[in-house]
Amino acid sequence: MSSKVPPVILNNGVEMPQLGFGVWQVPDAEAERAVATALEAGYRSVDTAAVYENETGTGRALAASGLPREELFVTTKLWNSDQGYDATMRAFDASLARLGLDRVDLYLIHWPVPALGKAVDTYRAFEKIHAEGRATSIGVSNFLPEHLERLIEATSIIPAVNQIELHPRLQQREAREFHAQQGIATEAWSPLGQGKGLLEVPAIVAIAQKHGRTPAQVVLRWHVQLGNVVIPKSVTPSRIVENIDVYGFELDTEDLAAISALNENHRLGPDPAGFNVT
Ligand code: NAD
């Protein structure tokens, strides 16, 4: 099936599908099956990471799909223990080998890890990898505006993307505004709030009923209308299909206001300021 997902245009002119498929916590063999199902359903963007230990299965599914490389958008991430210039160069080679690719579309620093103090050196390696044509776009994940400011001051390429935790209970208004000012695309991880309770919130259920859609589709549609890139995860084929089918309806201002009111600044994951695990 061809893709039904419109792109966002990154700050380097590259098109990135606004909706992609995430594979966090999916074991390698299952990731291969899930990515194959997602590609069949029309997803063309896949979000993995070295630390997910499923780059191999992801790469196998991409190869088996027979889809032309230029139709695919592959993101992977550098794990914290590989930060630093030389370690990054080695870790990137290893990720490419596992994926079975000679380039990725987007390479992200997974976490800023402020206590390490290696983000700038790491990003210089990213700039080198980009200059070699092996990462078409480079960016970061879990960077707070203060981390981005320091990085932008010390390096030459403004990150194309910052992938951050973002869902109706953690709407990240200040970060989104900062990214917009800098020309950085905001990519939402855990866009469905990991499914935990968010999809049963009465306001969301009511909007879903009003549009004849599911709560997951309402939340994903909210992201799309906000301009976020989203990467929902599921290993259930019917949900994989459901989660990409968000382009045939529109939330109105009343719906958007009701979702806007759900913000609690509630994180499911760690606070990047103090997350120094390597
Ligand atoms: P998510 O918000 O996408 O939620 C996934 C869960 O929601 C599923 O496991 C399932 O339980 C439920 N679900 C999915 N579709 C559903 C549907 N249609 N109906 C009902 N329930 C449904 O959570 P996630 O996996 O944490 O985040 C998505 C992706 O973001 C990850 O797979 C990964 O690629 C990325 N991510 C990145 C970071 C980072 O630090 N950069 C951290 C976490 C996740």
Side-chain angles (χ1 to χ4, degrees), residues 67-277:
L67 288 163
R69 177 67 184 89
E70 62 276 13
E71 280 186 27
L72 299 169
F73 192 102
V74 182
T75 301
T76 195
K77 312 183 195 86
L78 175 93
W79 186 240
N80 302 350
S81 53
D82 291 319
Q83 283 211 23
Y85 191 93
D86 293 335
T88 295
M89 298 306 286
R90 285 193 295 273
F92 182 71
D93 287 344
S95 277
L96 273 192
R98 285 189 293 267
L99 285 162
L101 298 175
D102 56 13
R103 72 168 179 97
V104 295
D105 294 276
L106 180 62
Y107 196 37
L108 302 176
I109 301 181
H110 208 141
W111 290 88
V113 201
L116 268 184
K118 291 186 180 172
V120 167
D121 275 353
T122 301
Y123 199 72
R124 292 210 174 106
F126 273 49
E127 290 180 324
K128 168 85 170 146
I129 288 164
H130 169 69
E132 293 168 346
R134 299 195 299 152
T136 307
S137 301
I138 53 176
V140 296
S141 176
N142 298 303
F143 274 48
L144 300 175
E146 71 208 53
H147 304 133
L148 277 168
E149 269 168 355
R150 255 176 268 140
L151 190 76
I152 290 169
E153 208 175 278
T155 60
S156 29
I157 300 175
I158 297 193
V161 168
N162 187 14
Q163 184 185 116
I164 56 174
E165 182 182 345
L166 203 176
H167 42 75
R169 285 178 169 147
L170 179 68
Q171 298 190 11
Q172 299 268 26
R173 286 181 196 133
E174 282 166 27
R176 282 194 282 119
E177 209 164 292
F178 180 78
H179 297 163
Q181 282 161 10
Q182 300 288 334
I184 300 168
T186 299
E187 182 172 20
W189 66 254
S190 295
L192 298 172
Q194 300 175 0
K196 288 175 189 155
L198 178 65
L199 305 179
E200 284 106 56
V201 168
I204 293 192
V205 173
I207 297 168
Q209 281 166 351
K210 171 173 148 187
H211 291 278
R213 293 289 181 151
T214 67
Q217 288 173 323
V218 165
V219 172
L220 293 170
R221 182 69 210 175
W222 170 79
H223 283 285
V224 166
Q225 289 186 217
L226 236 52
N228 301 335
V229 177
V230 271
I231 42 169
K233 182 202 69 183
S234 176
V235 292
T236 309
S238 60
R239 286 176 170 177
I240 292 173
V241 170
E242 174 186 328
N243 291 348
I244 196 178
D245 183 17
V246 299
Y247 291 94
F249 74 110
E250 192 142 2
L251 301 177
D252 60 32
T253 46
E254 197 185 319
D255 304 330
L256 294 172
I259 300 175
S260 189
L262 298 176
N263 185 43
E264 299 168 348
N265 292 327
H266 175 73
R267 283 186 190 278
L268 298 167
D271 184 337
F275 187 64
N276 291 306
V277 169

Side-chain angles (χ1 to χ4, degrees), residues 22-43:
V23 292
W24 180 42
Q25 293 178 316
V26 185
D28 200 50
E30 201 176 359
E32 185 175 345
R33 284 194 294 276
V35 171
T37 305
L39 295 171
E40 182 61 31
Y43 294 75

